[in-house]
Amino acid sequence: MEIAKPYLLFLGDVPDQLAAKTAQGIVDWRRDWCVGQLRLEGCKADTGLPDATIAEAVKAGAKTLVVGVVNAGGVLAPHWIDTIVAAIEAGMDVATGLHTRLADTPKIAAAAKKHGAQLFDVRHPQQTFPTGKGRLRSGKRLLMVGTDCSVGKKYSALALEKGMRDRGFDADFRATGQTGIFISGRGVAVDAVVADFIAGAAEWLTPDADPLHWDVVEGQGSLFHPSFAGVTLGLLHGAQPDAFVVCHEPTRRTMRGVDTPLPSIGEVIDMTVALGRLTNPAITCVGLSINTEHLDDDAAFTVLDRLAREYELPATDPMRFGVEPLVDAIAELYGEPEPKPKPRSTARRAR
């Protein structure tokens, strides 16, 4: 799908910053694609973009209203419909990562038909997938796994893709959620795939590749989350990772949206290895990505040092301190990237 840019990001009236993580992710990685944000009264999130009305956004060149929010069940709030219809009437397309399909709302569907607007439901794949087969594939895969939801798996994967490329690795980010798809332009929202086909979708996303190529796969959910563990497991089996990074937010005590206690990093490592061996017996943890946004510098360094010593793995906050320790670990375990051959000179030698 080709979603027209630039975007106006719609935040609705979400109750906190995490609920606007789709919009925030687009801003953090594709700021130049955005003209502003549209918030309703009571909205508790702010991406830092200028607030804009629909008319102001259209005047600034906005082509698509992106519903940049997430919520339990991925539903479209009824009181958002009039805003979406107004954007369509002003000439914009609409894109959403919610489970609710835009065209399933009659008022939105009628407005789109009348004004020739395109409706994009990026959470819904446009193709079907086979069941997973578990066959070992060529190439290398690096998967982000989490102690919980919303701990930095997507950001870690994007930062690692950049860090690995800067080091000379042949690496590509593979999006498995709606925000990642908006950022990368391709992918599969695995939580919208029928359960039997999640592993197959992950295999489609990370196919056979050159032996030195790395797919850096965005993780989803957590194996310990009572709501989303099934999606996490299907992604783990289908992605067939050679290596994984554990993503963790150290100030949490319970998992997001439930009363279940947060698992330890050690529990996540052990469970990921035990279950991941089904499709890749060589699966290995290569490091820890620690989200320290709620800690000051001294506390962040203390936590990173403690965890690195406790688990004998490199630990860093990719957004705050970079990914070099993780890339070093990958290079040590799997080898430095081969230097690219220099192009041969076409200049004729002097006689």
Side-chain angles (χ1 to χ4, degrees):
M1 60 182 69
E2 284 292 332
I3 301 174
K5 299 178 281 292
Y7 302 152
L8 171 64
L9 302 182
F10 178 60
L11 308 189
D13 53 352
V14 295
D16 56 35
Q17 195 68 23
L18 270 178
K21 69 175 187 176
T22 293
Q24 190 64 60
I26 297 170
V27 172
D28 288 344
W29 295 95
R30 297 289 186 265
R31 171 66 180 81
D32 56 321
W33 291 1
C34 308
V35 302
Q37 65 183 12
L38 174 57
R39 297 185 290 173
L40 300 181
E41 185 177 352
C43 182
K44 298 297 193 299
D46 185 353
T47 66
L49 290 174
D51 288 296
T53 65
I54 290 173
E56 290 168 341
V58 169
K59 186 176 181 180
K63 303 297 184 185
T64 302
L65 179 77
V66 173
V67 181
V69 302
V70 294
N71 54 36
V75 297
L76 182 67
H79 61 283
W80 296 350
I81 294 172
D82 286 346
T83 301
I84 292 171
V85 169
I88 293 171
E89 291 174 344
M92 281 193 275
D93 297 332
V94 181
T96 174
L98 298 172
H99 285 295
T100 303
R101 293 179 186 269
L102 289 163
D104 287 345
T105 300
K107 195 172 181 180
I108 294 174
K113 182 177 180 180
K114 179 179 178 180
H115 296 278
Q118 294 193 76
L119 303 178
F120 298 97
D121 299 293
V122 302
R123 207 162 193 162
H124 295 272
Q126 296 179 323
Q127 71 279 346
T128 58
F129 304 103
T131 56
K133 299 300 184 288
R135 177 184 62 82
L136 278 173
R137 306 188 295 284
S138 58
K140 298 292 185 184
R141 291 159 193 86
L142 173 62
L143 176 66
M144 306 302 111
V145 302
T147 55
D148 193 9
C149 306
S150 304
V151 290
K153 295 184 287 292
K154 174 176 59 272
Y155 278 48
S156 296
L158 286 161
L160 274 162
E161 178 203 40
K162 183 179 185 303
M164 292 175 74
R165 286 184 170 184
D166 289 347
R167 184 76 160 261
F169 284 93
D170 178 15
D172 287 309
F173 170 72
R174 301 302 186 193
T176 62
Q178 69 274 16
T179 309
I181 295 172
F182 280 126
I183 292 169
S184 69
R186 72 182 300 270
V188 179
V190 293
D191 63 357
V193 177
V194 174
D196 277 357
F197 306 103
I198 293 173
E203 290 181 355
W204 173 87
L205 189 64
T206 59
D208 283 301
D210 182 274
L212 298 179
H213 175 79
W214 282 89
D215 281 332
V216 184
V217 185
E218 174 190 9
Q220 293 295 329
S222 170
L223 289 172
F224 290 81
H225 200 295
S227 304
F228 311 118
V231 173
T232 309
L233 181 60
L235 177 59
L236 172 62
H237 286 157
Q240 197 181 85
D242 299 274
F244 67 93
V245 170
V246 177
C247 303
H248 176 64
E249 205 277 74
T251 68
R252 294 191 196 175
R253 295 296 174 264
T254 59
M255 306 189 82
R256 183 165 168 79
V258 295
D259 294 327
T260 305
L262 208 70
S264 70
I265 289 173
E267 289 174 319
V268 172
I269 292 173
D270 291 344
M271 184 69 77
T272 302
V273 170
L275 297 175
R277 281 176 174 163
L278 177 66
T279 56
N280 191 340
I283 185 173
T284 301
C285 183
V286 294
L288 311 177
S289 172
I290 309 301
N291 182 343
T292 65
E293 66 174 328
H294 298 303
L295 304 174
D296 61 27
D297 284 349
D298 288 343
F301 282 122
T302 298
V303 167
L304 292 175
D305 181 65
R306 174 178 61 81
L307 293 175
R309 287 186 286 106
E310 181 177 354
Y311 294 105
E312 298 182 338
L313 290 166
T316 186
D317 183 329
M319 304 308 295
R320 197 170 182 178
F321 306 121
V323 295
E324 186 174 354
L326 303 178
V327 178
D328 286 343
I330 293 167
E332 182 178 348
L333 282 170
Y334 300 98
E336 290 280 358
E338 292 185 358
K340 295 182 179 179
K342 294 181 180 179
R344 296 179 63 183
S345 175
T346 58
R348 298 179 68 179
R349 292 183 181 179
R351 292 177 181 259

